Structures are given as C-alpha cells and as structure tokens.
Amino acid sequence: SGSGPGRLGLTRSRYTLSFRGRLELDLVVGDTPPADSQAVVVPQDVYLILGEVSTIEETREPLVGAWATLGRLKPKPRGSVLVSPGSGGAPVLLQAIVYDFEDTPHARSVHVFEALLTAFEEARRLKLASLTLHPLGTAHQGVPAEEFARLLLQVCFSAAELGTSLKRVHLLLPSPEDLLRYEALLANQGRRVEPS
C-alpha cells in the first residue's frame, strides 16, 4: 500500500509519540530505513565486527587469522559513536559502540545511554531533521527491550527540551512481533516520561 521502489515490506505503526510538539518518535518494521532518513544508527561492538561494515568477511582469512587480527586492533570505547558519511545520497551511518563480547553482559545500559546521547548530539551537529535507529544493545544477551525503550524515551524527551534539529526519529524493527512489543513498551514508558 503506497510502497515505492525499494520500500517493499516497510510497515509503519500507527503509534507515534510526540515530545513537546518538537520531536516525533515512530516505529517502522523493515530491513531498510524510511526514505526520509538522513542518518541511521546501528549497534556495533568494540572491534567493529557486527553488521554491514564487517572487517572479518573482507579479510578472507581463516577464522583463527581473523581473531588474531582482531587481537591487534585497539578496541573502541563503549558508548562512543563512529560517524561515516553516506555516499551517493545514502544516509550518514552512525555506529553505536554498545557491545563487548569479552564482557558479561555483552551490553550495559550506561553504554547504550551514552551512545544514544552521542548519536542525538551528532544529529544536532550535522543539523539533521530525521534519524533512524535500530534497537541498541538488546541482542546478544544485552539490555532488556524495556530498558532500551526507557533510555530512548529519556533521550528523545531531553533532546526536545534542550533543542534539537531532529523532527522525527524512526525506530526500525525487524518483525511485526517486535513492533507490537515496542508499541506496548513505549505506551507504558511514555506515560511515565512525559506528564500531560
């Protein structure tokens, strides 16, 4: 319904949270960000081995050699964000360093919160109006989805209060089940965050 080329399978929730009328947060299901996204925030680990920007696959070494290579790399600090400019009209990529697989749990709330703050600050610095983010730190036995939802709402609320260039934040979810789950979490958390 109304999907353009490359937008197949993108489902939007009817649920949108507004923060002081300045910033809106909505939920989207799909594997690509909405067309208006100027930046995408993806979860990453301290050695940059997760996701689209994988270094292991590019090395074509046996796994032992790849792990040895990783051992020589200097880990990135958790809570930090690496900014890669988008090429050819693609959105800016913000890699949120939230995982450390040598630590248990692999992700902690404090680092997720720092990464969210930093990503929102980068969006303000770059004067972006829209940002898409994947849930940060909720996979690989990380933080509970409830905790991520609470931190995200807190950062959205603060950004709206303190002034931000962002007008819309999309939370990009992998499945319709996740959509229902986050709708419930945000509705529940939203009542606590912003008094009417």
Side-chain angles (χ1 to χ4, degrees):
S1 65
S3 293
R7 299 290 119 188
L8 294 176
L10 196 66
T11 305
R12 288 181 186 274
S13 170
R14 288 188 298 272
Y15 182 81
T16 300
L17 267 177
S18 177
F19 298 86
R20 297 284 187 244
R22 298 183 191 129
L23 173 67
E24 289 187 345
L25 170 65
D26 67 4
L27 307 174
V28 182
V29 176
D31 52 8
T32 57
D36 71 335
S37 302
Q38 294 175 300
V40 180
V41 183
V42 296
Q44 187 55 272
D45 79 297
V46 296
Y47 291 109
L48 309 180
I49 59 173
L50 289 179
E52 302 164 14
V53 284
S54 174
T55 52
I56 289 183
E57 290 167 22
E58 293 168 11
T59 62
R60 291 196 170 91
E61 296 177 36
L63 201 53
V64 173
W67 282 116
T69 302
L70 286 177
R72 291 191 299 272
L73 292 175
K74 188 176 188 315
K76 307 287 184 235
R78 278 202 281 181
S80 65
V81 173
L82 296 180
V83 181
S84 306
S87 57
V92 174
L93 179 66
L94 302 173
Q95 296 179 71
I97 313 297
V98 293
Y99 292 110
D100 183 348
F101 296 116
E102 295 172 353
D103 187 21
T104 305
H106 299 318
R108 297 180 186 274
S109 296
V110 62
H111 301 121
V112 170
F113 183 65
E114 287 171 4
L116 282 169
L117 283 175
T118 304
F120 273 64
E121 183 54 37
E122 283 296 328
R124 189 174 73 79
R125 186 181 67 79
L126 296 168
K127 297 178 174 53
L128 304 179
S130 72
L131 180 72
T132 295
L133 58 94
H134 294 253
L136 301 180
T138 58
H140 313 294
Q141 292 115 28
V143 299
E146 296 79 6
E147 179 66 3
F148 171 72
R150 184 183 71 75
L151 295 171
L152 176 59
L153 290 178
Q154 197 176 335
V155 172
C156 285
F157 187 72
S158 295
E161 283 287 295
L162 299 172
T164 179
S165 60
L166 286 172
K167 303 287 182 232
R168 182 167 291 271
V169 174
H170 306 288
L171 180 57
L172 186 61
L173 301 165
S175 72
E177 294 75 26
D178 286 307
L179 179 69
L180 292 172
R181 182 177 181 198
Y182 274 94
E183 280 179 343
L185 288 173
L186 291 174
N188 189 27
Q189 295 281 348
R191 280 192 285 276
R192 294 186 209 149
V193 173
E194 187 170 5
S196 49

